[in-house]
Amino acid sequence: SQLKPNPLTLVVSIAPDLSIKLNQDSMGSVNDPSALAQRLVLVFAQRKEQRAYKIGMETRTDLKEEDRIEKTVFVKAPRSLRYGEVVKVIDAIKGAGANPVGLQVDDLPQ
């Protein structure tokens, strides 16, 4: 039996040409990640309205609702990308309110 992916999973992929995708949607480039940040702000606002909580946080009334909303974002980038380019994207993601931000380091293209 295969596990189904969490429908709330957000993955930001950075291509070798510095273009950015959020899941499968084009979101600009490393040099201008503003479209990505704006989309994430919108996604997180919608999730708050819909009470899309992290798994296991549905009944946690000891935490603020804001802290219970699923805001995890994973970043995938080729190993050949310069660190500073990846950091630009991570900064935009964090600025949009994502928490935590994970960096995929295994099974990446060169």
Side-chain angles (χ1 to χ4, degrees):
S1 66
Q2 284 189 318
L3 292 175
K4 288 190 173 192
N6 184 334
L8 299 178
T9 299
L10 296 171
V11 178
V12 173
S13 302
I14 306 172
D17 67 357
L18 302 184
S19 63
I20 301 171
K21 287 187 176 182
L22 175 59
N23 292 348
Q24 298 302 316
D25 298 332
S26 293
M27 290 286 127
S29 73
V30 167
N31 296 318
D32 183 11
S34 59
L36 171 65
Q38 290 171 1
R39 175 71 66 86
L40 288 172
V41 167
L42 178 65
V43 167
F44 298 148
Q46 289 172 338
R47 288 182 176 185
K48 186 173 182 178
E49 283 177 20
Q50 298 168 353
R51 292 181 171 82
Y53 300 126
K54 297 176 187 175
I55 294 174
M57 295 288 188
E58 300 86 358
T59 60
R60 294 280 307 267
T61 57
D62 59 318
L63 298 173
K64 295 185 295 185
E65 184 176 45
E66 187 72 24
D67 296 335
R68 296 165 51 202
I69 302 299
E70 180 57 81
K71 295 183 181 179
T72 304
V73 177
F74 294 97
V75 177
K76 292 171 50 173
R79 290 182 183 178
S80 60
L81 217 57
R82 291 192 341 239
Y83 177 75
E85 292 166 333
V86 177
V87 169
K88 282 183 199 177
V89 175
I90 291 173
D91 284 346
I93 293 168
K94 292 289 281 181
N99 186 29
V101 176
L103 181 60
Q104 181 180 345
V105 293
D106 294 328
D107 300 322
L108 292 175
Q110 297 294 323

